[in-house]
Amino acid sequence: MKIGETILKLREEKKMSQEEFAQYYHVTRQTISNWEKEKNYPDLQTLVKISDESGVSLDCMIKDNFAMVQEIDKKVRHLKRFKIGTAIVFAIVLFVLSYIGIQSSKQKYLIHTYEDKLEELGFEKEGNNYCVTDDDFKYDVYMFDRPSIWKWNQEMDYREKFITGTLVEKDSDLEENLKVTIRKTSDFITLYIFRENYMVDGTSPKIKEYSLDKNGQIKYKENMDKEDYKVYVQWQDEIENGVKKLNQMYAKLYE
């Protein structure tokens, strides 16, 4: 007995209208009509229920009904694909969330370690940077930008690894409008001399920079501006001591 005939017989036995039968199987009346006319077919779970209630075996209903077998097989394949696809999506989401969690933990550890080192060196937070002052210099370190969450190695960018020290004015010993700064990076130690009243093209102040060796001594004295050289000579001891301290702090923070 074909599926359409089986459904029609079962409905008559139960003395149900198509509307009542549809409510019983949680579908629409039109769906029942299509089943009876075999325009389409129930899913496998519903077929098993119909088989149990009608007493007609599943084999008998689908025997010689190639179109129905194809449709059921198609639904089963789609269901398998859906389950596999759902499992893959779930695995990917779980992996991404786990990855982000691991990277966030790495970032927190990186920042906390950095801040602990700053605290050990006596730095205190001042706005977006950290600073500490001794008798000669105010030293500044800037909080680095967090590495990209998608970068596996959570490390500071080498361009953010630097410390600056600005000469502190003591009883107006510095020339008016003069600023002297030393800067330490992984490869260079630089002396900057800035005069607010020295203008380039009459529009902006000029900052002159000179290379220092690891002991804080000028590498190329012959290339220095005469006025700048006088400043360097006047503050040479302080600059050399500042460079020594910069080296120690840099090694503690970044090496």
Side-chain angles (χ1 to χ4, degrees):
M1 184 178 292
K2 293 184 178 181
I3 181 63
E5 295 173 349
T6 303
I7 291 174
L8 182 59
K9 180 183 177 182
L10 180 61
R11 185 166 64 80
E12 290 174 350
E13 289 177 354
K14 288 180 175 293
K15 298 180 180 180
M16 290 182 176
S17 65
Q18 284 187 339
E19 184 70 31
E20 292 170 333
F21 201 75
Q23 291 177 359
Y24 182 75
Y25 281 95
H26 307 291
V27 293
T28 64
R29 187 200 61 78
Q30 185 62 44
T31 298
I32 298 299
S33 176
N34 289 336
W35 287 354
E36 292 178 352
K37 295 175 183 178
E38 296 190 3
K39 290 183 178 180
N40 53 42
Y41 305 97
D43 58 44
L44 190 57
Q45 185 177 356
T46 304
L47 276 176
V48 172
K49 185 176 180 181
I50 291 172
S51 174
D52 291 340
E53 294 188 355
S54 66
V56 179
S57 69
L58 197 59
D59 289 343
C60 184
M61 280 193 289
I62 65 176
K63 185 179 180 181
D64 297 328
N65 194 333
F66 182 71
M68 182 181 180
V69 172
Q70 275 191 320
E71 184 170 333
I72 293 174
D73 184 58
K74 183 179 179 181
K75 290 179 179 178
V76 170
R77 288 200 306 271
H78 284 174
L79 181 61
K80 287 182 178 178
R81 289 173 184 170
F82 175 77
K83 289 181 177 179
I84 293 172
T86 301
I88 291 174
V89 170
F90 179 77
I92 292 173
V93 170
L94 184 62
F95 172 79
V96 171
L97 291 177
S98 299
Y99 180 87
I100 292 174
I102 292 171
Q103 296 302 86
S104 296
S105 296
K106 285 183 177 180
Q107 284 189 353
K108 290 179 181 177
Y109 177 77
L110 178 66
I111 293 171
H112 289 163
T113 301
Y114 185 67
E115 290 178 333
D116 287 345
K117 290 178 179 179
L118 286 171
E119 186 176 346
E120 289 178 17
L121 291 170
F123 281 86
E124 296 180 354
K125 193 167 186 180
E126 186 179 274
N128 293 326
N129 64 309
Y130 294 79
C131 65
V132 62
T133 303
D134 61 18
D135 292 337
D136 300 315
F137 283 91
K138 177 186 177 186
Y139 301 94
D140 288 282
V141 174
Y142 296 86
M143 176 52 71
F144 57 90
D145 292 330
R146 293 192 178 202
S148 169
I149 200 74
W150 304 113
K151 186 177 180 181
W152 179 251
N153 293 323
Q154 292 293 301
E155 299 174 347
M156 290 178 60
D157 190 300
Y158 76 95
R159 290 168 294 188
E160 295 185 282
K161 295 180 178 180
F162 66 89
I163 307 176
T164 63
T166 301
L167 198 60
V168 178
E169 294 187 32
K170 297 183 291 185
D171 299 326
S172 301
D173 289 340
L174 286 174
E175 297 176 26
E176 187 178 359
N177 299 321
L178 176 68
K179 186 176 181 180
V180 178
T181 300
I182 50 178
R183 186 175 189 266
K184 162 73 178 172
T185 67
S186 60
D187 300 316
F188 303 102
I189 304 173
T190 309
L191 170 68
Y192 297 92
I193 298 179
F194 167 77
R195 289 183 174 85
E196 291 183 6
N197 57 355
Y198 188 97
M199 310 297 284
V200 179
D201 300 327
T203 57
S204 59
K206 179 178 180 180
I207 301 176
K208 297 182 182 180
E209 59 182 74
Y210 304 98
S211 294
L212 301 174
D213 63 21
K214 63 180 181 180
N215 297 314
Q217 297 178 357
I218 288 289
K219 287 186 176 181
Y220 310 104
K221 294 180 181 179
E222 65 277 9
N223 294 333
M224 288 194 75
D225 179 272
K226 290 182 178 180
E227 293 300 318
D228 291 342
Y229 184 69
K230 289 180 182 179
V231 172
Y232 167 71
V233 170
Q234 179 182 357
W235 300 101
Q236 184 173 355
D237 290 341
E238 287 81 0
I239 290 171
E240 291 178 0
N241 289 333
V243 168
K244 181 179 179 180
K245 192 163 185 178
L246 279 183
N247 289 332
Q248 293 171 346
M249 291 189 293
Y250 190 94
K252 176 68 176 179
L253 279 175
Y254 305 122
E255 295 177 358

